Amino acid sequence: MASAVQTVCGQAYGAKKYSAMGVICQRAIVLHLGAAVLLTFLYWFSGPILIAIGQSESIAEQGQIFARGLIPQIYAFSLSCHMQRFLQALAIVNPLAYMSAGVFALHVLLNWPVIDVLGFGLLGAALTLSFSWWLLVISNWLYIVLSPNCRETWTGFSSKAFTGIWPYFKLTIASAVMLWYLGDMVQPRTGAYIRTASQSNTFL
């Protein structure tokens, strides 16, 4: 769903409709938050779902604990993923890398005390991951709001983000299908063709 943000924002940037980029990002966030609400139920009741697909009760129990701890991460991802695509459309890459590296380093440092010292175990691992994602959201948000690089493209919250949801939803579905087709259908077949051609010495 987030892949469409970079495409549409890139088009808006090329057309010099800079203020539209912020609206596109906000619209994508609204749509993704709606999907996050639906996923929340899936995560919360993941135990019975795992049992239904053939997992043992012990695995289902532990999986449900971890999944419930990841529920805050779903909403953080809904925000951060689109903000990252928004910044990438502006060719802002290095700050994203610095923010991600900083959050990753802090995440590594937090894991040991939360999981082992405080004894939160599997739930602690999930909550630490969720916390790290929310740190990434905050850092991305602060950069967008405070950086002069985003002054023309982010002009604040707009009610326009709640319009055009359905056309944008159809675009995200088309984008998701395209990525699925390229990732799961085209690339494996291309790799198989290259291996076969190389073995038969017909590939140039």
Side-chain angles (χ1 to χ4, degrees):
M1 295 177 70
S3 59
V5 175
Q6 193 168 357
T7 301
V8 181
C9 279
Q11 293 174 349
Y13 185 81
K16 297 183 178 180
K17 295 182 179 180
Y18 301 127
S19 61
M21 297 180 66
V23 176
I24 292 168
C25 180
Q26 293 173 46
R27 183 179 295 129
I29 288 175
V30 170
L31 186 59
H32 211 150
L33 285 174
V37 173
L38 298 177
L39 286 174
T40 298
F41 294 98
L42 184 66
Y43 275 49
W44 187 261
F45 297 104
S46 56
I49 294 173
L50 288 172
I51 293 176
I53 61 176
Q55 296 296 334
S56 64
E57 291 187 6
S58 59
I59 292 178
E61 180 182 358
Q62 295 302 312
Q64 180 171 271
I65 292 173
F66 190 78
R68 288 182 175 180
L70 286 181
I71 289 177
Q73 185 263 349
I74 303 175
Y75 295 91
F77 182 81
S78 301
L79 299 171
S80 179
C81 190
H82 298 297
M83 289 190 284
Q84 290 177 15
R85 296 297 194 278
F86 171 80
L87 293 172
Q88 288 171 0
L90 294 171
I92 299 174
V93 179
N94 287 341
L96 280 174
Y98 301 147
M99 287 183 281
S100 298
V103 170
F104 173 74
L106 184 60
H107 175 72
V108 172
L109 293 175
L110 285 174
N111 267 296
W112 176 70
V114 172
I115 296 173
D116 292 329
V117 177
L118 298 178
F120 284 100
L122 193 60
L123 178 61
L127 291 175
T128 302
L129 185 59
S130 296
F131 176 73
S132 298
W133 268 95
W134 274 104
L135 288 180
L136 194 60
V137 169
I138 294 171
S139 59
N140 291 163
W141 170 250
L142 289 176
Y143 184 89
I144 291 174
V145 174
L146 300 178
S147 173
N149 296 326
C150 305
R151 187 171 300 163
E152 295 182 356
T153 53
W154 185 270
T155 56
F157 292 103
S158 174
S159 59
K160 294 180 180 179
F162 296 94
T163 61
I165 295 291
W166 177 243
Y168 189 82
F169 174 74
K170 292 189 291 184
L171 178 63
T172 60
I173 295 299
S175 179
V177 171
M178 179 189 69
L179 290 175
W180 167 80
Y181 180 77
L182 291 176
D184 294 345
M185 301 295 289
V186 175
Q187 290 181 3
R189 293 181 181 181
T190 302
Y193 170 77
I194 292 175
R195 288 192 298 270
T196 303
S198 299
Q199 293 170 0
S200 61
N201 296 322
T202 59
F203 182 72
L204 299 179

